[in-house]
Amino acid sequence: MKLTNGKLTEVILDSLGEGLFTVDKDFRINSLNRAGEQMFGVKKADVIGDFCKNVFKSKRCFGECPIERVLENGASVYDLESEMVTKKGRRLPVKINASVLKDAENKPIGGVVSFRDMSHLETIQKNLINASGFHGVIGRHKSMVEIYKLIEEVADSHSSVMITGESGTGKEMIADAIQKISSRKDKPFVKINCSVFPPQLLASELFGHVKGAFTDAVKDRVGRFEIADGGTIFLDEAAEMPLQMQVQLLRVVQEGTFERVGESITRKVDVRVIAATNKNVNVEMQEGRMREDLFYRLNVIPIEIPPLRQRRSDIPHLVQHFLKKYALISGKNITEVDDEAMDYLTGYQWPGNVRELENAIEYAFARSKDTIIHASKLPLNIRAGIKCTDRLPEENMPVQADEYLLLKNLLQKHQWNRSRVAAEMGIGRTTLWRRLKAHGFVNE
Amino acid sequence: MSEMLGNRYFLARQFDKAIPYLEDALAQNPDGDKIKKKLILCFIQTGQIERAFSLFYELIEKNPNIIIDTDIYYDDCPCNELIPEWEKKSKGEEKSLEYLETLAMLYLYCNVNKSLSYLKKASRKADNPAKIITVMNRLPKV
């Protein structure tokens, strides 16, 4: 039996795992697929002809509608975080893609919105955040606690932030935390890595271009600064930006004004800038690769993230966090690392910092069949690293003193329940006993 | 300019932003009654009462039912939100002609009798009430 075009489209849409609806130019729903019906607990027949805002009741319906954004900017929306409300009133976290449908004359005649249910991921995130510390950032070392305090203090500020730290220390996570608690948290948050674009393309990415501005500019394009208007932009690897671009960036940071590539109209935006770099900024300025005026403009609120080797007491917490994360993602019931593995992990230098630690845990997770990660499952370089390198203490606090205080605090917190202390530290009871004995907490 | 974007701003009650898009849509489709109905409300909410009344008059001359048959839910008409705001605005003050015309226009989307009552008051207040009287005569007496 052959299907008519309309029926075929319906069958295709109903076979999708993502929810999807389309609206006409008045924003009345004219189709809803089966996954969408199931997610919202509604029947297609009951909602066709109704306004989408009356059915999906998202807060975006009254503020930043994704289709509105597409109509304004000309670019489709991908992975926009939002919430919808089901027929029974349950809040549904979703990620949205949106596009505009146009007729033969290129006039908008409707829109299509697809959405993925993110409840599962939100539960994972909540569990991890609750177990960690500060909006997804893990670490209880005093240097990290100082950073959390600073972020909270400047939450309502619109000043620029400059995050420095070695590669893998979590600069982007700190930027995420700043955004999450800032007054711009419900506004766009746009991220761009400045080091991956050649100069001409970077200008186009940041400021947009008009049709014909350069060979491949076949149509007008909105830049990241315009998309971020009202919100925040995260410029990763900002120190690697070409000098000419730094002049243009300085102007946006100072005045909020810029021109699209190939256009003379000056546009104005209100964007908070968070920049990050793993370079030594002083060296970059001395050698003329970074403009001083830009640096001082960006560095209004400086945040320096210490490398992992300077906060080793955080390693067990990070290990525990990544164990939980990969257990949730993979479904494997791996809950701890054995004592020997933990010794390797806390003794290693971690040149790649937290990112390298996460990769090591993911690697060990993939290799482990047991409920415990054994040392033999860790990457070879980590096991080799401990043999050829003596453990280096943290720079700001001797390991012994740090560990003594940590043990003391945890013993008090858990009323000397050693199982709980071991669990919180992410180590086995035997290792804990050895450490307690070394610090004179136990005599047996 | 996109009519769809104008519709979107109207749905989000961003009347000032909707105006240029709806005006452009009307220029391309001068018989667009739905666009005119929205523009009347946009003009009212941006204080352009004379322009609102001029469009209102056009529609009444054509067919008053275009406005009277408005369905508050199905047409997403904001008059239920706007009327209390306007009535609250001049509580205790002497009612101006613009105020009376505004409420007459808003009420016609949901309550013909109330609209007529405001039109009567406006006709008494106006120096030249010809247009207001024409509107009154075109409305059905309920």
Side-chain angles (χ1 to χ4, degrees):
Chain A
M1 189 181 78
K2 277 191 174 176
L3 293 170
T4 61
N5 276 349
K7 190 70 188 165
L8 182 63
T9 308
E10 197 177 316
V11 170
I12 293 169
L13 295 182
D14 281 346
S15 70
L16 296 176
E18 288 192 352
L20 181 144
F21 68 88
T22 57
V23 292
D24 63 15
K25 69 175 178 182
D26 289 322
F27 289 80
R28 291 181 199 275
I29 298 168
N30 49 21
S31 74
L32 173 70
N33 74 347
R34 192 167 295 157
E37 283 184 307
Q38 285 165 356
M39 278 188 219
F40 288 96
V42 294
K43 287 276 169 222
K44 181 162 69 177
D46 296 336
V47 300
I48 296 285
D50 205 345
F51 290 101
C52 50
K53 72 171 185 179
N54 292 342
V55 175
F56 301 112
K57 298 181 182 108
S58 164
K59 60 183 176 183
R60 290 207 180 267
C61 297
F62 304 94
E64 283 179 30
C65 159
I67 297 178
E68 175 187 319
R69 201 191 275 189
V70 181
L71 287 165
E72 285 172 338
N73 298 332
S76 295
V77 165
Y78 298 104
D79 280 347
L80 182 69
E81 287 185 14
S82 188
E83 279 180 14
M84 291 172 165
V85 180
T86 67
K87 193 179 178 188
K88 288 187 174 173
R90 187 171 71 88
R91 196 184 63 81
L92 192 70
V94 289
K95 275 200 174 176
I96 291 175
N97 294 343
S99 294
V100 164
L101 305 169
K102 293 180 177 176
D103 64 11
E105 292 168 0
N106 212 28
K107 282 185 184 163
I109 51 164
V112 54
V113 175
S114 64
F115 43 93
R116 271 171 291 149
D117 180 357
M118 304 303 286
S119 313
H120 176 64
L121 208 69
E122 196 182 70
T123 310
I124 292 177
Q125 261 175 350
K126 264 187 193 162
N127 288 342
L128 290 173
I129 287 168
N130 288 344
S132 63
F134 189 80
H135 300 279
V137 184
I138 319 296
R140 300 176 191 180
H141 188 270
K142 64 174 184 179
S143 57
M144 295 306 289
V145 174
E146 285 299 320
I147 290 175
Y148 305 155
K149 274 188 202 161
L150 176 63
I151 292 174
E152 276 178 341
E153 283 163 10
V154 301
D156 290 330
S157 161
H158 298 295
S159 305
S160 303
V161 180
M162 184 77 174
I163 306 170
T164 51
E166 289 179 10
S167 177
T169 44
K171 296 184 284 294
E172 190 172 337
M173 293 195 79
I174 291 290
D176 286 340
I178 294 169
Q179 160 73 2
K180 275 178 201 163
I181 63 168
S182 78
S183 54
R184 294 171 182 243
K185 61 175 180 271
D186 295 324
K187 302 289 180 187
F189 184 33
V190 177
K191 297 176 182 180
I192 182 166
N193 187 320
C194 302
S195 69
V196 298
F197 294 98
Q200 180 65 27
L201 264 184
L202 182 60
S204 160
E205 276 298 319
L206 290 175
F207 307 119
H209 64 245
V210 290
K211 186 179 171 181
F214 48 89
T215 314
D216 294 328
V218 291
K219 59 178 184 177
D220 289 1
R221 189 168 192 272
V222 175
R224 307 280 181 112
F225 268 97
E226 272 181 87
I227 295 172
D229 192 15
T232 308
I233 194 164
F234 175 58
L235 303 173
D236 202 1
E237 312 295 1
E240 296 190 23
M241 198 178 272
L243 280 170
Q244 177 53 35
M245 284 297 308
Q246 293 185 24
V247 180
Q248 289 171 271
L249 178 61
L250 177 65
R251 192 174 144 220
V252 190
V253 178
Q254 274 180 329
E255 302 163 20
T257 59
F258 65 92
E259 287 89 30
R260 287 184 183 175
V261 177
E263 191 181 58
S264 55
I265 300 166
T266 299
R267 295 168 189 270
K268 191 163 176 63
V269 288
D270 167 26
V271 177
R272 185 186 198 187
V273 178
I274 303 176
T277 183
N278 58 9
K279 302 272 180 197
N280 181 327
V281 195
N282 289 324
V283 173
E284 294 301 301
M285 285 194 292
Q286 276 165 17
E287 297 189 357
R289 287 190 294 268
M290 180 156 197
R291 292 178 62 99
E292 279 190 37
D293 45 9
L294 176 64
F295 171 72
Y296 291 116
R297 264 287 165 184
L298 293 175
N299 201 41
V300 179
I301 300 168
I303 296 178
E304 189 181 350
I305 310 176
L308 189 54
R309 64 183 170 278
Q310 284 179 20
R311 52 181 188 110
R312 286 178 193 279
S313 57
D314 280 342
I315 291 174
H317 302 302
L318 286 159
V319 169
Q320 206 57 44
H321 172 78
F322 293 132
L323 286 177
K324 280 181 189 161
K325 176 178 174 180
Y326 287 103
L328 286 164
I329 290 171
S330 69
K332 283 187 178 179
N333 186 28
I334 299 175
T335 52
E336 58 179 314
V337 299
D338 74 8
D339 294 350
E340 191 187 357
M342 186 58 87
D343 284 344
Y344 279 126
L345 293 169
T346 50
Y348 183 63
Q349 280 295 297
W350 299 112
N353 292 292
V354 181
R355 187 185 294 127
E356 188 184 7
L357 174 61
E358 177 170 4
N359 291 346
I361 298 296
E362 188 179 0
Y363 172 89
F365 232 88
R367 290 191 61 197
S368 298
K369 304 282 180 219
D370 203 349
T371 57
I372 294 175
I373 290 177
H374 300 288
S376 61
K377 303 297 180 191
L378 292 174
L380 196 59
N381 63 318
I382 291 169
R383 283 183 283 147
I386 193 86
K387 284 174 191 162
C388 59
T389 323
D390 287 331
R391 286 199 206 183
L392 293 175
E394 294 181 12
E395 285 174 18
N396 298 331
M397 183 188 273
V399 159
Q400 295 300 315
D402 191 18
E403 187 170 83
Y404 174 83
L405 286 173
L406 177 70
L407 287 168
K408 191 179 161 193
N409 289 338
L410 288 177
L411 285 167
Q412 279 170 355
K413 179 181 169 188
H414 294 294
Q415 296 170 328
W416 286 77
N417 183 324
R418 289 188 211 170
S419 298
R420 286 190 195 153
V421 174
E424 182 160 346
M425 291 179 76
I427 58 176
R429 276 178 56 87
T430 319
T431 305
L432 176 66
W433 178 84
R434 218 170 47 234
R435 292 184 187 178
L436 290 176
K437 196 175 176 196
H439 288 290
F441 285 106
V442 289
N443 295 320
E444 67 253 47
Chain B
M1 292 271 238
S2 152
E3 179 186 348
M4 190 170 171
L5 191 51
N7 290 339
R8 165 60 205 159
Y9 288 136
F10 184 84
L11 281 178
R13 309 305 187 225
Q14 295 176 11
F15 301 107
D16 54 334
K17 281 175 139 182
I19 288 174
Y21 295 95
L22 295 176
E23 279 186 321
D24 189 62
L26 187 62
Q28 288 176 40
N29 175 18
D31 293 327
D33 297 337
K34 272 164 58 180
I35 305 171
K36 286 180 188 171
K37 278 172 72 175
K38 287 176 185 166
L39 267 175
I40 291 169
L41 298 170
C42 291
F43 286 144
I44 287 175
Q45 285 308 103
T46 51
Q48 303 176 66
I49 309 301
E50 216 170 297
R51 294 184 76 190
F53 196 81
S54 167
L55 268 186
F56 178 77
Y57 184 77
E58 258 183 53
L59 283 184
I60 298 296
E61 275 205 312
K62 186 175 176 184
N63 180 0
N65 287 331
I66 294 169
I67 296 181
I68 292 169
D69 291 344
T70 302
D71 181 304
I72 300 293
Y73 181 85
Y74 188 75
D75 294 324
D76 191 48
C77 177
C79 67
N80 275 354
E81 304 149 38
L82 306 185
I83 288 171
E85 281 176 26
W86 276 93
E87 288 186 326
K88 213 163 72 182
K89 261 184 197 169
S90 66
K91 221 172 182 178
E93 290 172 21
E94 197 192 318
K95 316 294 186 235
S96 68
L97 176 62
E98 282 200 338
Y99 170 85
L100 297 169
E101 283 178 339
T102 296
L103 278 162
M105 288 188 277
L106 288 175
Y107 265 119
L108 198 61
Y109 286 79
C110 55
N111 186 331
V112 183
N113 270 350
K114 280 274 208 177
S115 177
L116 268 170
S117 133
Y118 275 106
L119 283 167
K120 272 181 202 162
K121 288 178 192 168
S123 69
R124 287 197 289 269
K125 191 103 185 170
D127 294 333
N128 182 3
K131 277 193 170 181
I132 299 171
I133 291 167
T134 308
V135 171
M136 285 164 64
N137 291 336
R138 296 278 294 146
L139 296 185
K141 307 290 180 287
V142 185

